[in-house]
Amino acid sequence: MNPGMNMKLILASGSPRRRELLRQIGLEPEIRPSLLEERTSSTAPEEVVMELSAQKAEDVAAQSPAGSLVLGADTVVAVEGKILGKPGSHEEAAEMIRLIQGRSHQVYTGVTLICREGEASRGVTFAEKTEVFVYPMTEDEIRAYAMTEEPMDKAGAYGIQGLFAAYIQGIHGDYTNVVGLPVGRVCQEWKRLTEEMEEEQDD
């Protein structure tokens, strides 16, 4: 599905998982990661991901030609409002897994879409939240998983689409959001943006 067939999709992220999710629905983005240093003024997970996704998208959109749709995204895992980023070591990965095992946590992905049309641009920023439930894990299971390479580049130190699937009890919300990009919502928002721009041109 491509709601803006004449627009070139630029992904302001180097995430292979986001690229794969877009390919899954028939979109082949140009990969152009933002090199901005990430800064946020908030500690609330939903606000953090929206702020960071907007920074990435705006940075790349400023250097993108007309006819482009720039997509910036940021994902965090939160337990009782505390944000868990990417682990810096296998030991830190184990600490994060101890926090999320045997209970529920939230995954937030912030997305910013910016349509570049001539000198004008129109954008939207939103956040999607998914509740994830993890089975209780033994210390041996925690350490065995944490010592693999899988948790090392992932928020919350796990990948739902990898080995950690063995410990997922269930989810409430969008599965693709947990992987890193709520593609259904992205398509709906993109469609709405392009429709609004077409209506403006018709006026």
Side-chain angles (χ1 to χ4, degrees), residues 99-111:
L99 279 175
I100 66 171
Q101 64 85 29
R103 60 181 301 175
S104 70
H105 64 270
Q106 298 74 42
V107 178
Y108 295 86
T109 299
V111 178

Side-chain angles (χ1 to χ4, degrees), residues 25 30 41 43 45 58 69 91 96 108 151 162 168 177 180-181:
I25 58 167
E30 177 184 326
S41 57
T43 55
E58 286 162 7
L69 178 111
E91 196 50 58
M96 290 184 185
Y108 295 86
I168 299 294
N177 186 52
L181 191 68

Side-chain angles (χ1 to χ4, degrees), residues 44-202:
E46 194 168 7
E47 292 172 11
V48 166
V49 292
M50 288 198 293
E51 203 174 324
L52 293 178
S53 76
Q55 288 173 19
K56 294 174 185 178
E58 286 162 7
D59 176 46
V60 172
Q63 307 155 49
S64 300
S68 303
L69 178 111
V70 177
L71 190 165
D74 193 79
T75 301
V76 299
V77 169
V79 179
E80 293 182 352
K82 180 190 175 186
I83 293 175
L84 304 182
K86 295 176 183 177
S89 65
H90 291 285
E91 196 50 58
E92 197 178 343
E95 288 170 16
M96 290 184 185
I97 299 300
R98 286 186 198 106
L99 279 175
I100 66 171
Q101 64 85 29
R103 60 181 301 175
S104 70
H105 64 270
Q106 298 74 42
V107 178
Y108 295 86
T109 299
V111 178
T112 297
L113 298 171
I114 299 177
C115 285
R116 296 271 295 149
E117 279 296 336
E119 292 303 306
S121 61
R122 175 185 283 273
V124 63
T125 298
F126 62 89
E128 192 74 25
K129 174 179 127 179
T130 303
E131 192 96 10
V132 181
F133 301 84
V134 180
Y135 282 112
M137 296 171 68
T138 66
E139 184 61 22
D140 284 348
E141 288 171 332
I142 291 168
R143 293 203 68 79
Y145 179 74
M147 291 304 143
T148 69
E149 289 309 306
E150 186 173 287
M152 299 314 292
D153 67 335
K154 297 174 181 68
Y158 77 92
I160 195 170
Q161 73 281 26
L163 298 170
F164 202 75
Y167 305 109
I168 299 294
Q169 188 173 7
I171 69 167
H172 184 261
D174 184 346
Y175 170 82
T176 62
N177 186 52
V178 186
V179 180
L181 191 68
V183 288
R185 177 91 183 267
V186 166
C187 284
Q188 293 304 309
E189 296 287 350
W190 182 357
K191 187 163 68 172
R192 188 174 62 78
L193 261 183
T194 51
E195 284 170 356
E196 285 175 3
M197 292 179 82
E198 284 166 6
E199 285 169 11
E200 280 183 7
Q201 288 167 1
D202 292 341

